Amino acid sequence: KIPKKEEINLVFQKGREHSIKITDNMGVGIAKAEVTYFFDVGGKKTSKIIETNAEGFCSFLLAQKRNERLIISHPSYLKYDTKELYNQKDTEPENVILLKGLSLSGKVTDKITALPVPNLFVSINTIEHTQWQSARTNNLGVYEFKSMGQGDYSISAQGMGYKELRNLSCHIDNEKENIKNIELEKGLSCQFKLIDGKSKAPISKKAVRNLED
């Protein structure tokens, strides 16, 4: 006996296209801005990344009954976060204005010798701990932070052979060049020798490796 075939109807809901144009405060489109599109389907969170074209346009489909949000970033501009659910209302194609980011740079030197300190980890954060960045000094001891907003910040720096610097205050202003040089003090070094507990003979590095194995 041949079983009766069951028909299954699938209904797909058509999404609605949403377009935005990303510009600077002069209305000029920003190319290659990264748009991260977050959405929640059935409790599963996921995201897609798209990029604006040469005129600053990008478009994507919005489905119904799910939370959606955009975060827009570009190396030269402040990050933009919609922090809202797009599906709560029908939105017409809109413009998003990105504000030009500020930069802070400086040189890290040895406090005694005044020589540059390369490959040093430097971090910066707002007083409210809401905008954190990190960088490493180059061969000339220079570091740089980009896409920063105006305001008060604290800087920390640490590296091999130097005392850790914490919470150095600085202010980033949009009306001047922002430079913050850092001087670090040498840290104390400690040397020790491994010896055998019975014979008091030194333990070689090879012997230590064998013990670890």
Side-chain angles (χ1 to χ4, degrees):
K1 186 177 179 180
I2 300 176
K4 183 179 179 180
K5 294 183 178 180
E6 296 184 0
E7 294 184 357
I8 300 177
N9 295 323
L10 299 177
V11 178
F12 292 91
Q13 189 173 19
K14 187 177 181 181
R16 50 192 172 87
E17 187 174 13
H18 185 76
S19 299
I20 59 175
K21 182 178 182 180
I22 301 173
T23 68
D24 60 17
N25 56 1
M26 301 296 291
V28 179
I30 300 173
K32 294 186 177 181
E34 187 177 90
V35 181
T36 307
Y37 167 41
F38 295 89
F39 53 93
D40 186 340
V41 182
K44 183 180 179 181
K45 295 182 179 180
T46 188
S47 64
K48 293 181 180 179
I49 299 176
I50 53 180
E51 194 176 83
T52 56
N53 63 16
E55 289 76 34
F57 282 101
C58 69
S59 61
F60 43 88
L61 289 179
L62 292 178
Q64 304 294 329
K65 297 182 180 179
R66 70 183 187 190
N67 300 338
E68 293 157 332
R69 162 184 173 188
L70 299 179
I71 293 180
I72 304 169
S73 58
H74 188 280
S76 300
Y77 296 85
L78 297 180
K79 184 171 68 175
Y80 180 91
D81 191 341
T82 60
K83 295 182 180 178
E84 66 180 21
L85 306 182
Y86 265 101
N87 64 334
Q88 290 181 344
K89 59 182 179 180
D90 288 330
T91 53
E92 296 297 327
E94 61 179 334
N95 291 344
V96 175
I97 299 175
L98 297 186
L99 299 178
K100 193 74 173 178
L102 304 173
S103 64
L104 172 73
S105 62
K107 188 174 185 179
V108 181
T109 57
D110 186 292
K111 189 173 183 179
I112 303 299
T113 65
L115 293 175
V117 183
N119 198 33
L120 189 87
F121 181 81
V122 184
S123 63
I124 189 170
N125 206 342
T126 59
I127 303 301
E128 298 81 14
H129 302 285
T130 56
Q131 189 180 355
W132 182 86
Q133 284 193 40
S134 66
R136 283 194 178 274
T137 56
N138 61 18
N139 291 335
L140 300 177
V142 176
Y143 70 91
E144 183 178 18
F145 298 110
K146 296 181 179 180
S147 302
M148 307 296 294
Q150 179 174 309
D152 295 318
Y153 292 82
S154 64
I155 296 177
S156 298
Q158 59 181 4
M160 185 73 70
Y162 288 89
K163 293 181 180 179
E164 182 178 359
L165 175 71
R166 293 184 180 182
N167 302 324
L168 176 65
S169 299
C170 71
H171 180 79
I172 296 180
D173 198 318
N174 63 355
E175 296 182 354
K176 65 178 183 179
E177 185 178 11
N178 297 289
I179 298 176
K180 189 69 173 181
N181 295 323
I182 301 172
E183 291 182 336
L184 291 183
E185 296 181 13
K186 285 280 189 181
L188 299 177
S189 61
C190 179
Q191 295 183 348
F192 60 91
K193 181 189 292 185
L194 294 176
I195 61 173
D196 185 278
K198 293 182 179 179
S199 65
K200 305 301 181 182
I203 300 177
S204 66
K205 292 182 179 180
K206 183 177 180 180
V208 174
R209 286 197 296 267
N210 291 336
L211 288 174
E212 289 177 347
D213 296 338

